[in-house]
Amino acid sequence: MRQGPSMISDDIPAPPAPLKKIGKRAQKVQDRKDHILVTAARLFRERGYHAVSMDEIGSASGMTGPAMYKYFKDKAAILIAILELGTAIAKQAIASIDTTGLSDLEILAEHVRCYIDFTGETRDAMVVTVREANNIPEWYRPGFLDEQRTVREAEVNLLIRIRPELTRSEARYICTNVFQGLISSSVYLYPADSENRRLRLSAMAMAALLA
């Protein structure tokens, strides 16, 4: 073996130490940003978006207000990040559904179950998404609404196959009101891990989708 930098194999040099340090630093920054988002989502849920300042988010996150601006330029940027996090979690949850051998009706029921579970697990972010979406900047609104429609398209397509008498606009209207209305808003009323919430919501959601 050649002499020189430490090797992973005879032919592949180990990554240089500075790259490792950069990776660790980036991970630390991401961890801090995630912590800020979790904290801000809780404060926004408890007190409302307009009643919470950047200084208060910073204090609750364990840092001074001015230090917050290293991670987010303003409070609107934090709100946007919370909404984007909720959307990303929704996409991941839907993608995780195993549809092997299931009928369209059974797959739709799995979407309902999955959405109920992840909205309960991400209660703070979901309350903020439902209640504070009107506070997002105007420049961000069209893209946000388009993203929300994209998330719902899988359920819209399923519902049209199950209920072919519906137009796409009618199916989208129903799915939006069931998933983003009925299910998401339920986090106000039931504990996140409530079995009662799961059972009631599943029955109500499927009844509304098939009515």
Side-chain angles (χ1 to χ4, degrees), residues 9-88:
S9 70
D10 285 352
D11 301 310
I12 305 174
L19 290 180
K20 292 183 178 180
K21 290 182 180 179
I22 291 172
K24 289 180 180 179
R25 187 180 301 115
Q27 184 61 54
K28 184 176 181 180
V29 169
Q30 187 58 53
D31 290 346
R32 180 58 62 89
K33 291 178 74 172
D34 290 345
H35 178 61
I36 291 170
L37 293 180
V38 169
T39 302
R42 174 178 57 79
L43 292 175
F44 291 164
R45 176 182 64 81
E46 292 173 348
R47 296 164 51 192
Y49 175 75
H50 290 297
V52 179
S53 69
M54 285 288 279
D55 284 347
E56 289 169 323
I57 296 171
S59 177
S61 301
M63 66 183 75
T64 61
M68 288 284 294
Y69 295 96
K70 294 193 300 184
Y71 303 98
F72 295 98
K73 67 177 183 178
D74 54 28
K75 196 168 65 168
I78 294 177
L79 177 59
I80 288 172
I82 291 172
L83 300 185
E84 290 180 343
L85 177 62
T87 300

Side-chain angles (χ1 to χ4, degrees), residues 2-209:
R2 297 189 305 271
Q3 298 296 317
S6 61
M7 306 291 289
I8 295 176
S9 70
D10 285 352
D11 301 310
I12 305 174
L19 290 180
K20 292 183 178 180
K21 290 182 180 179
I22 291 172
K24 289 180 180 179
R25 187 180 301 115
Q27 184 61 54
K28 184 176 181 180
V29 169
Q30 187 58 53
D31 290 346
R32 180 58 62 89
K33 291 178 74 172
D34 290 345
H35 178 61
I36 291 170
L37 293 180
V38 169
T39 302
R42 174 178 57 79
L43 292 175
F44 291 164
R45 176 182 64 81
E46 292 173 348
R47 296 164 51 192
Y49 175 75
H50 290 297
V52 179
S53 69
M54 285 288 279
D55 284 347
E56 289 169 323
I57 296 171
S59 177
S61 301
M63 66 183 75
T64 61
M68 288 284 294
Y69 295 96
K70 294 193 300 184
Y71 303 98
F72 295 98
K73 67 177 183 178
D74 54 28
K75 196 168 65 168
I78 294 177
L79 177 59
I80 288 172
I82 291 172
L83 300 185
E84 290 180 343
L85 177 62
T87 300
I89 293 172
K91 288 182 174 181
Q92 291 172 2
I94 292 169
S96 71
I97 297 174
D98 183 2
T99 61
T100 305
L102 300 182
S103 67
D104 286 339
L105 183 59
E106 290 169 329
I107 294 171
L108 186 61
E110 280 297 295
H111 277 247
V112 168
R113 177 199 60 76
C114 182
Y115 204 73
I116 290 170
D117 285 346
F118 99 77
T119 53
E121 293 164 1
T122 59
R123 184 186 184 200
D124 292 344
M126 291 312 303
V127 169
V128 171
T129 299
V130 172
R131 189 176 63 194
E132 306 292 355
N134 287 336
N135 291 312
I136 60 177
E138 286 299 324
W139 63 264
Y140 181 75
R141 192 177 306 278
F144 172 70
L145 295 177
D146 285 344
E147 188 71 13
Q148 292 298 299
R149 281 191 287 269
T150 299
V151 171
R152 291 279 70 81
E153 282 305 293
E155 289 94 17
V156 171
N157 291 333
L158 283 167
L159 190 58
I160 288 174
R161 291 201 295 271
I162 295 167
R163 299 180 59 189
E165 77 278 8
L166 295 175
T167 66
R168 178 162 292 274
S169 294
E170 290 170 335
R172 184 176 291 115
Y173 176 82
I174 293 169
C175 288
T176 298
N177 280 279
V178 169
F179 287 93
Q180 292 173 227
L182 173 64
I183 297 177
S184 293
S185 63
S186 72
V187 293
Y188 290 101
L189 304 175
Y190 295 97
D193 60 348
S194 169
E195 184 62 24
N196 187 46
R197 172 180 179 269
R198 294 188 182 95
L199 294 175
R200 285 177 179 268
L201 278 178
S202 292
M204 289 190 291
M206 291 305 294
L209 288 166

